[in-house]
Amino acid sequence: MKTRAGLLFGSFNPIHSGHMMLAAYMLQFTDLNEVWFVVSPHNPLKEKNTLLADYHRLELVYRAVDDYPGFRVSDIEFRMPKPSYTIDTLVRLGEKHPGHSFTLICGADALQSFRKWKNFTQILDNYRLLVYPRKNVDSTEFDQHPSVTLVDAPQIELSSSFIRHGIATGRDMRFFLPEKVYRYISEMHFYE
């Protein structure tokens, strides 16, 4: 039987306690065997001034995940053509890890713009989506799709931009971040 792995994509700039709680929820309250944090490289269409280098963000995710059973880290998109599209990453992961079946973990806000995703019908035809609630998103046209499962995860209103702003303005942000992530950010003076 294949290992059921959920994929949580993000720039993780930085990874924070909200990401960890969501991943833990998916691991403990769904049928997933693993949750993989897929660190996305810099998007050339986005501002880079607040984005840490890829390897620093990857290191932060490794420190957050540490040796927690069921959590894994993937930098597969670092070695793929840019921009990387979710469908291409899913296909590549399937080729590299034939013993796994992959499920996309995303927020309800992502489903609102899902028609704009490259080959979105191929994603729906071949993969499951576990969709967690987001503030101000009541429903989408895909809520009833057989590949989509709406998950009643707690809504955690915490963002990486909030963390960056807090650090930049001299606030103590230690309780918003995994301890090893906070320590590394402090040592490296990131976001100050």
Side-chain angles (χ1 to χ4, degrees):
M1 191 163 133
K2 290 190 174 192
T3 301
R4 293 181 302 275
L7 303 176
L8 188 58
F9 287 80
S11 58
F12 301 113
N13 186 41
I15 189 166
H16 55 65
S17 297
H19 296 126
M20 303 307 291
M21 287 186 267
L22 176 63
Y25 181 91
M26 292 298 178
L27 195 57
Q28 299 300 322
F29 292 92
T30 71
D31 66 349
L32 295 177
N33 305 117
E34 297 175 344
V35 172
W36 293 21
F37 294 80
V38 183
V39 183
S40 299
H42 172 243
N43 179 338
L45 302 176
K46 285 191 173 179
E47 283 287 325
K48 195 169 183 173
N49 58 354
T50 61
L51 188 68
L52 290 184
D54 295 348
Y55 61 91
H56 284 308
R57 292 181 292 110
L58 184 65
E59 178 63 24
L60 289 172
V61 176
Y62 272 116
R63 287 176 186 237
V65 168
D66 197 17
D67 57 357
Y68 188 81
F71 284 177
R72 289 181 62 178
V73 182
S74 173
D75 63 354
I76 192 165
E77 290 192 339
F78 289 16
R79 293 176 301 282
M80 292 178 64
K82 316 261 185 311
S84 51
Y85 295 99
T86 302
I87 185 60
D88 298 333
T89 305
L90 288 165
V91 169
R92 179 78 58 91
L93 282 168
E95 292 167 355
K96 286 183 64 110
H97 305 277
H100 288 73
S101 66
F102 291 104
T103 296
L104 193 57
I105 298 171
C106 65
D109 53 329
L111 271 195
Q112 286 185 315
S113 60
F114 198 60
R115 279 193 177 281
K116 295 178 182 170
W117 289 30
K118 179 184 175 186
N119 298 2
F120 77 93
T121 54
Q122 187 182 347
I123 296 173
L124 289 171
D125 290 344
N126 297 293
Y127 301 93
R128 281 191 324 151
L129 283 76
L130 291 177
V131 180
Y132 55 90
R134 292 298 286 236
K135 193 175 178 181
N136 301 324
V137 181
D138 292 329
S139 62
T140 75
E141 66 178 296
F142 298 103
D143 289 357
Q144 304 303 315
H145 192 282
S147 297
V148 173
T149 302
L150 302 178
V151 180
D152 194 24
Q155 288 190 51
I156 302 150
E157 294 303 317
L158 184 58
S159 69
S160 295
S161 58
F162 169 78
I163 305 284
R164 292 193 305 270
H165 180 263
I167 293 169
T169 54
R171 308 290 202 295
D172 182 349
M173 303 304 285
R174 82 180 71 198
F175 296 112
F176 298 95
L177 297 159
E179 183 183 348
K180 291 178 181 177
V181 170
Y182 175 76
R183 225 180 297 139
Y184 188 63
I185 288 173
S186 298
E187 286 166 10
M188 300 295 284
H189 302 283
F190 292 149
Y191 309 115
E192 290 177 4

